Amino acid sequence: MGRGLQIARLALAFALLFGPHHGSAEVREAYAAGQRDFGENYVQEWLHKRAELADLTDLRWHLLGHLQRNNVKLVIGQVHLFHAVDDMLGLDEMARVAHAQGASQDVLLQVNLAGEDQKRGCGEDDAELFVDVLLRSPGLRLQ
């Protein structure tokens, strides 16, 4: 594993510590220690924390997990990185909203390599198609 990937995984692991079980006070404490990237699993929790922490202007929010299409307009252009493009309907909605808002959004593709029905993500056989669509979607940037 390359050093850059190790660092990225370490940074992401730290970001994942912050979710629905960690409140704004804990985010402030980590922020005071120098952390700037924070993850949230649920849009409503993220909106609440974002409002409570609005004075911390250099926070970088990461949204993790499935994004319901009705929440796309709340997220696009507002988070540093969206971690789970996991279905084509959601991808289409993200591209539509990004284009309509003139926004840019960095995203990661979630691939279900195990092929488990209970797991989200595009199938391994569909990953190339998803990448192609992402690369042609104005406003979405595959990272």
Side-chain angles (χ1 to χ4, degrees):
M1 179 183 319
R3 180 164 168 71
L5 185 55
Q6 288 174 328
I7 292 169
R9 284 189 175 164
L10 178 61
L12 179 57
F14 194 85
L16 288 173
L17 291 175
F18 294 90
H21 304 295
H22 295 78
S24 297
E26 291 161 305
V27 172
R28 282 187 185 281
E29 186 177 328
Y31 180 89
Q35 180 66 23
R36 295 298 180 263
D37 290 276
F38 297 93
E40 185 55 64
N41 297 72
Y42 302 103
V43 172
Q44 297 309 320
E45 287 286 328
W46 164 68
L47 289 170
H48 178 75
K49 286 178 188 170
R50 184 179 72 161
E52 286 186 344
L53 300 165
D55 58 305
L56 306 179
T57 58
D58 59 340
L59 270 176
R60 290 182 300 264
W61 287 106
H62 296 245
L63 194 62
L64 314 158
H66 179 70
L67 180 61
Q68 295 176 334
R69 287 189 302 278
N70 63 323
N71 286 324
V72 168
K73 64 187 172 296
L74 301 172
V75 171
I76 294 297
Q78 302 299 312
V79 296
H80 178 70
L81 182 62
F82 175 66
H83 285 249
V85 173
D86 61 5
D87 67 49
M88 195 59 75
L89 289 174
L91 170 55
D92 288 343
E93 182 66 7
M94 284 185 261
R96 186 190 69 73
V97 169
H99 180 71
Q101 292 180 356
S104 294
Q105 182 63 62
D106 290 340
V107 299
L108 298 175
L109 177 61
Q110 181 175 343
V111 181
N112 181 354
L113 293 174
E116 298 175 26
D117 291 338
Q118 70 274 22
K119 305 281 184 179
R120 291 204 174 267
C122 71
E124 185 175 4
D125 294 340
D126 296 328
E128 191 172 324
L129 172 63
F130 273 74
V131 168
D132 183 54
V133 171
L134 272 166
L135 293 175
R136 290 185 291 113
S137 297
L140 299 181
R141 295 185 304 248
L142 180 61
Q143 300 299 304

